[in-house]
């Protein structure tokens, strides 16, 4: 759950969801073996966890977003957060 102390790598993206501007907070993290993934929140609610595959496609690790939304979030992550 997101708190008021955001980490140095945490950032916000803006997406149009059903005609409304949504602010999604993205928190980069990594697995114990160093694989990077991104936890996404709207307000205090975790909505998904995503990772970018070797082929550049975005995959949802956790959540119920459709693939178009996963791609849209992944595109914004790529624009804001380069590894």
């Amino acid at each position: 759950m997101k708190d008021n102390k955001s980490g140095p790598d945490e950032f916000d993206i803006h997406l149009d969801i059903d005609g409304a501007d949504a602010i999604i907070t993205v928190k980069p993290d990594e697995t114990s073996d160093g694989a990077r993934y991104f936890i996404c929140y709207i307000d205090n609610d975790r909505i998904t966890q995503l990772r970018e595959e070797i082929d550049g496609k975005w995959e949802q690790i956790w959540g119920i977003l459709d693939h178009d939304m996963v791609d849209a979030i992944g595109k914004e992550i790529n624009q804001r957060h380069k590894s």
Side-chain angles (χ1 to χ4, degrees), residues 26-81:
V26 179
K27 180 181 176 188
D29 206 344
E30 60 183 48
T31 62
S32 58
D33 62 354
R36 186 152 242 193
Y37 66 98
F38 299 87
I39 307 166
C40 302
Y41 300 87
I42 293 180
D43 296 322
N44 289 328
D45 298 324
R46 182 175 56 165
I47 60 166
T48 192
Q49 291 180 359
L50 306 176
R51 70 171 174 234
E52 187 174 19
E53 298 294 331
I54 294 171
D55 62 5
K57 293 182 182 177
W58 284 87
E59 295 296 326
Q60 185 167 220
I61 302 168
W62 177 91
I64 57 169
L65 300 180
D66 65 34
H67 197 70
D68 289 337
M69 185 59 65
V70 169
D71 287 343
I73 293 171
K75 180 180 175 182
E76 290 295 319
I77 290 170
N78 280 338
Q79 289 180 359
R80 292 287 310 271
H81 191 300

Side-chain angles (χ1 to χ4, degrees), residues 2-38:
K2 183 182 165 219
D3 60 21
N4 291 336
K5 296 179 183 176
S6 60
D9 294 333
E10 190 172 300
F11 57 94
D12 291 338
I13 59 175
H14 295 261
L15 285 180
D16 183 340
I17 299 177
D18 296 329
D21 183 47
I23 299 171
I24 299 173
T25 301
V26 179
K27 180 181 176 188
D29 206 344
E30 60 183 48
T31 62
S32 58
D33 62 354
R36 186 152 242 193
Y37 66 98
F38 299 87

